[in-house]
Amino acid sequence: MSRKACLLGATGLIGQHLLQLLLEDPYYSEVHLLVRRSLNQQHPKLVEHVIDFSLVAEYRPAIQGAETIFCAVGTTLKKVKGDREAYRKVDYDIPVTAATVAAESGVYGFILVSSIGADANNNNNFYLKLKGVVEEAVSKLQIPQVHIFRPSLLLGKRGEKRLGEGLAQSLAPVFSLFMVGKWKKYKPINASVVALAMLESAKSGGKGIFIHEYESILG
């Protein structure tokens, strides 16, 4: 049986791991990427779609016919120079547009990377509120299977340097020892573990909306 997966955010920390897993796993026979610029990567299963993410019509060729959409897009305020509208265009517009097209195209599963603490009613934290709003928007669409992943600090080697995050990663093993009980969901987690959990969730076949935090991601 031929199965098609579609990935947004292939250059990110989770996305890089997820792309390799998708290419190696025989479950999907095609892996389609939506990217701004070519990754210049060759693989028999890989199909790139270099698109303008502001144009809805350009999402459709990659998404139509897919069984599962994996969305791991995200930016930082530093990257967009503090411009919250530019931030929203990445962290809200892209995943919600992809999910909308997926629903219209009859896609079975949508797998979304969000964040621990995501809450649409949080008016004190722009980042967490936006993540919560995205979760709400995606969950309201007619997609049979929606898995939402809420990791805390991601561990792993990034292609870019983030000074604060690098320091946090180095201290993570110490702080993790004290994260028990209700604080356990805030434990740092390796991006490769999140990627694997996303793939396994997509292959599970179950219908519904599923929220995954630390323990659920670990399985």
Side-chain angles (χ1 to χ4, degrees), residues 76-77 80-88 126:
T76 64
L77 282 172
V80 296
K81 299 178 181 178
D83 185 338
R84 291 192 173 190
E85 187 55 37
Y87 188 101
R88 183 182 173 88
F126 170 76

Side-chain angles (χ1 to χ4, degrees), residues 62-218:
I63 290 176
Q64 287 175 342
E67 177 176 298
T68 313
I69 310 299
F70 295 89
C71 186
V73 297
T75 188
T76 64
L77 282 172
K78 182 180 179 180
K79 277 187 178 180
V80 296
K81 299 178 181 178
D83 185 338
R84 291 192 173 190
E85 187 55 37
Y87 188 101
R88 183 182 173 88
K89 285 180 180 179
V90 176
D91 276 49
Y92 178 88
D93 290 2
I94 293 176
V96 173
T97 299
T100 301
V101 174
E104 294 170 351
S105 303
V107 169
Y108 183 78
F110 194 87
I111 318 297
L112 174 70
V113 176
S114 183
S115 171
I116 195 65
D119 182 359
N121 297 312
N122 185 340
N123 294 318
N124 297 315
N125 187 302
F126 170 76
Y127 172 80
L128 295 179
K129 181 179 181 68
L130 189 61
K131 290 296 186 185
V133 171
V134 172
E135 289 186 7
E136 282 192 352
V138 170
S139 298
K140 289 176 181 177
L141 296 168
Q142 297 301 307
I143 301 174
Q145 181 195 73
V146 175
H147 286 275
I148 297 171
F149 283 76
R150 292 177 177 172
S152 184
L153 174 67
L154 292 171
L155 303 177
K157 187 176 181 180
R158 292 187 183 273
E160 59 180 313
K161 290 185 178 180
R162 296 184 183 179
L163 183 58
E165 192 172 87
L167 179 60
Q169 285 201 28
S170 66
L171 296 174
V174 177
F175 287 116
S176 290
L177 296 173
F178 301 97
M179 292 178 177
V180 295
K182 67 178 183 179
W183 300 106
K184 195 170 186 178
K185 63 183 180 180
Y186 294 100
K187 279 192 171 188
I189 191 166
N190 198 291
S192 62
V193 174
V194 180
L196 180 59
M198 292 172 69
L199 176 58
E200 293 305 316
S201 294
K203 292 161 59 178
S204 68
K207 292 183 178 181
I209 298 171
F210 306 90
I211 305 293
H212 303 275
E213 295 180 346
Y214 182 79
E215 289 191 274
S216 175
I217 296 171
L218 289 181

